[in-house]
Amino acid sequence: MRQFSKLMRGFWPAIIGGAVVFAVVQFTSLGRDTNSPPQIKVDNTPIERETHGVTSYAPIIKRVAPSVVNIYSTRTVRERENPFFNDPFFRRFFGPNDDEDQSQGQGQGNRRRRQQPRSERSQSLGSGVIISADGYILTANHVVEGADEVKVALASGGQEFTAKVIGADAPTDVAVLKISAKDLPIVTMADSDKLEVGDVVLAIGNPFGVGQTVTMGIVSAVGRTALGINQYEDFIQTDAAINPGNSGGALVDAEGRLVGINTAIFSESGGYQGVGFAVPVDLARSVMDRLIKYGKVTRGYLGVDIQSLTPELAQEFNLPDQSGALVTDVEPGTPAAKAGIQNGDVIRELDGKKITDSQQLRLTISESAPGTKVTLNLLRGENGKKPAQKTITATLGTLPGQGNAKNENAPEEEKNSNYDSLDGVEVTDIDSNARQQYSIPNNIHGAVVTSVDENSNSAEAGVREGDVIQEINHEPVKSADDAVRLSDKAHGSRVLLRVWRANNGQGQGSGGSFYITVDNTKRK
């Protein structure tokens, strides 16, 4: 279970996992249309809210608990060599470094071998939910992210299966697994949009590895955004006890229907403190469908910078209330520009769905496939006049610049070359959200690093999430596509990066640029 906090409160962000067992996971990148869609069960009827006494939820739990599984994942963590060992001054205190220059101490019996980085196995625990009888399982991305091995244990009978990761989506923290089994007990999905504050919910998972556990609470809030947990957020908040090991487990309503996938807690101690969050099942289903069909999630793109409204802004724009997303910039040539959206427009509805703030608009656009035609209702004011209502139709593009620095479409012989081409580094274009998230000034351009494989050459060289790659081998990087292209053509034994970092390690809080060399040969 991921623990998160706001730094202003002095908490710390972490992913919490429990130690457990051994497992074997195979990550696969399955192509389009290679997977048949799972046969899921859905019940969209609203829950019965008439007040009545309930003496036990045992019948509900007996029905739904068998569909909640335990997930055990392991990964290899590479220990890097202590940089002090390379400094002659510190070497006097830490002792000899293996394999120094063999010419040193020749004839004095102190010939040495270079110390090799060590690796160790890290084990973590999570939960998942069976959504089809033939073995599809929903879970949280961070439960299996970076794992070398994964195993799924059924609640009934303790039977274990090796799992394949069909696909994972870090921006929403959703992943889909597949095990080879038949006639599995499956959960029925509800319509999470029909949840209301005060509805009773039950959390089912394997907290702290003690075994399957059920806790009860209510829906404390819906539509929670701007928490800084995921890139796209629309969380259900609950006071049902959620603890480490519950990640990826089920949040069900009082009728035993799945309404959410448990994903995070707000805690100073790392344990339950009454505030837990789950990804709504409607969002999880949308991501799941695309992961199963395509192996990845391709998101729609409108091409606007937006912000939420404050009471002061609503007053200045003569708006009736604070609902909507205020357009602060329209990128030239984008679907928004082609549709006629302007700076200062306030988008209030998308396809008839009310837009409450900028976060909701980003999420709604992201759930739509590229090429989708959307109808936007907006308010536009001119020269201080009362805003006029307008309806605009736009055809969404593809969210640009999301990709791995490794070109998955490269010829097979190129993929199998001796060069690593910055494999393990994920980059994206710098938009307003990236600038805000990573504190990137407007005059800094390039491709921002969103993820670095901890076992990669780039991580060992010091590349971090939030770094802006400005040059590769002296050639300027203007976009994520540039970074992919230039990394693919980098065929020397080393790659030279010019990187900007918000805190460059030189005590300059405003950030600065510096150079990094990355070993470009494949690890043995």
Side-chain angles (χ1 to χ4, degrees):
M1 176 59 59
R2 299 187 301 169
Q3 174 189 350
F4 79 100
S5 63
K6 299 192 185 238
L7 296 179
M8 292 292 292
R9 301 196 179 185
F11 304 166
W12 62 93
I15 293 178
I16 305 172
V20 286
V21 284
F22 315 88
V24 194
V25 139
Q26 304 169 13
F27 274 84
T28 59
S29 178
L30 300 183
R32 179 171 180 171
D33 293 331
T34 57
N35 297 300
S36 57
Q39 300 300 309
I40 64 176
K41 289 176 64 176
V42 179
D43 179 0
N44 291 329
T45 58
I47 196 168
E48 175 60 49
R49 292 190 174 90
E50 292 296 327
T51 303
H52 58 278
V54 177
T55 58
S56 175
Y57 288 98
I60 300 295
I61 299 305
K62 287 178 181 178
R63 185 172 72 247
V64 71
S67 64
V68 181
V69 300
N70 298 336
I71 296 175
Y72 305 103
S73 64
T74 66
R75 70 194 71 192
T76 302
V77 179
R78 182 183 176 92
E79 290 185 1
R80 299 189 184 94
E81 182 179 349
N82 191 324
F84 289 135
F85 289 163
N86 294 322
D87 190 308
F89 176 79
F90 287 102
R91 196 156 53 225
R92 292 185 301 163
F93 301 98
F94 291 115
N97 190 17
D98 293 342
D99 197 22
E100 295 292 347
D101 189 336
Q102 295 181 7
S103 65
Q104 296 182 7
Q106 290 258 347
Q108 300 178 24
N110 59 353
R111 183 172 176 176
R112 310 180 186 110
R113 294 173 302 173
R114 179 164 300 281
Q115 183 186 42
Q116 295 297 322
R118 294 178 298 176
S119 297
E120 62 180 26
R121 304 277 283 177
S122 173
Q123 302 168 347
S124 59
L125 169 72
S127 304
V129 188
I130 302 171
I131 53 93
S132 73
D134 59 344
Y136 282 100
I137 295 170
L138 263 178
T139 187
N141 169 68
H142 72 268
V143 170
V144 297
E145 186 175 24
D148 303 310
E149 303 175 336
V150 173
K151 209 163 231 188
V152 169
L154 301 185
S156 54
Q159 194 174 4
E160 291 186 348
F161 297 87
T162 298
K164 290 183 179 180
V165 178
I166 299 299
D169 184 56
T172 55
D173 197 27
V174 173
V176 180
L177 311 180
K178 180 72 164 61
I179 60 176
S180 297
K182 296 180 179 179
D183 302 324
L184 295 172
I186 66 174
V187 73
T188 297
M189 298 185 184
D191 183 350
S192 53
D193 278 347
K194 293 177 181 175
L195 270 182
E196 295 183 8
V197 174
D199 286 348
V200 171
V201 286
L202 307 166
I204 310 174
N206 185 9
F208 302 110
V210 299
Q212 191 174 84
T213 302
V214 182
T215 55
M216 185 187 78
I218 63 168
V219 174
S220 305
V222 293
R224 287 293 195 210
T225 61
L227 298 175
I229 309 174
N230 296 338
Q231 186 175 346
Y232 297 101
E233 299 178 340
D234 186 29
F235 288 116
I236 302 165
Q237 180 182 329
T238 178
D239 65 348
I242 296 175
N243 284 295
N246 275 109
S247 280
L251 188 71
V252 301
D253 62 19
E255 295 179 4
R257 300 175 302 178
L258 185 69
V259 295
I261 300 296
N262 298 322
T263 190
I265 55 175
F266 192 96
S267 173
E268 290 180 311
S269 65
Y272 169 69
Q273 289 190 277
V275 182
F277 297 94
V279 175
V281 72
D282 289 0
L283 174 57
R285 276 180 59 191
S286 172
V287 172
M288 176 191 74
D289 290 343
R290 285 178 280 178
L291 289 176
I292 291 174
K293 188 171 184 180
Y294 304 111
K296 63 180 181 178
V297 177
T298 305
R299 293 182 162 86
Y301 174 66
L302 188 57
V304 293
D305 290 341
I306 52 178
Q307 71 179 89
S308 297
L309 291 159
T310 64
E312 295 76 16
L313 285 173
Q315 183 176 357
E316 289 298 319
F317 281 86
N318 295 317
L319 300 172
D321 53 48
Q322 290 176 238
S323 294
L326 174 62
V327 177
T328 61
D329 194 21
V330 179
E331 297 290 335
T334 62
K338 294 174 182 178
I341 296 174
Q342 301 177 7
N343 295 343
D345 285 349
V346 179
I347 300 173
R348 306 267 288 184
E349 290 185 0
L350 189 149
D351 287 340
K353 183 177 181 179
K354 184 178 179 181
I355 300 299
T356 57
D357 55 26
S358 60
Q359 294 284 341
Q360 187 183 12
L361 180 60
R362 289 183 67 246
L363 176 66
T364 306
I365 293 294
S366 76
E367 290 185 276
S368 303
T372 301
K373 287 188 175 181
V374 295
T375 300
L376 302 165
N377 291 333
L378 54 86
L379 292 176
R380 178 180 295 170
E382 296 178 356
N383 301 324
K385 297 180 181 178
K386 184 178 180 180
Q389 205 167 29
K390 291 186 174 293
T391 300
I392 289 178
T393 300
T395 301
L396 299 180
T398 301
L399 185 64
Q402 289 192 327
N404 194 291
K406 180 180 179 181
N407 185 358
E408 293 297 339
N409 295 318
E412 196 64 33
E413 59 271 19
E414 182 177 329
K415 290 184 184 181
N416 293 329
S417 72
N418 292 323
Y419 300 110
D420 213 19
S421 300
L422 299 183
D423 191 16
V425 177
E426 292 186 1
V427 293
T428 188
D429 288 339
I430 303 176
D431 59 13
S432 59
N433 296 306
R435 290 192 185 279
Q436 182 178 5
Q437 181 178 356
Y438 298 113
S439 302
I440 304 171
N442 290 331
N443 64 326
I444 299 299
H445 303 283
V448 62
V449 176
T450 58
S451 176
V452 184
D453 184 342
E454 62 185 10
N455 296 316
S456 67
N457 291 337
S458 299
E460 186 161 341
V463 178
R464 305 177 187 170
E465 179 183 351
D467 286 352
V468 176
I469 299 177
Q470 298 176 294
E471 294 178 5
I472 297 179
N473 286 344
H474 301 290
E475 295 192 56
V477 173
K478 298 180 180 179
S479 66
D481 288 339
D482 279 351
V484 172
R485 176 178 56 82
L486 293 173
S487 68
D488 283 339
K489 64 181 282 190
H491 286 169
S493 61
R494 290 185 179 276
V495 178
L496 178 66
L497 305 180
R498 183 170 181 262
V499 171
W500 180 92
R501 182 174 293 164
N503 184 346
N504 63 7
Q506 304 299 321
Q508 302 175 18
S510 59
S513 298
F514 57 98
Y515 288 94
I516 294 177
T517 59
V518 180
D519 185 357
N520 196 32
T521 56
K522 286 188 176 293
R523 291 182 179 275
K524 301 299 182 183

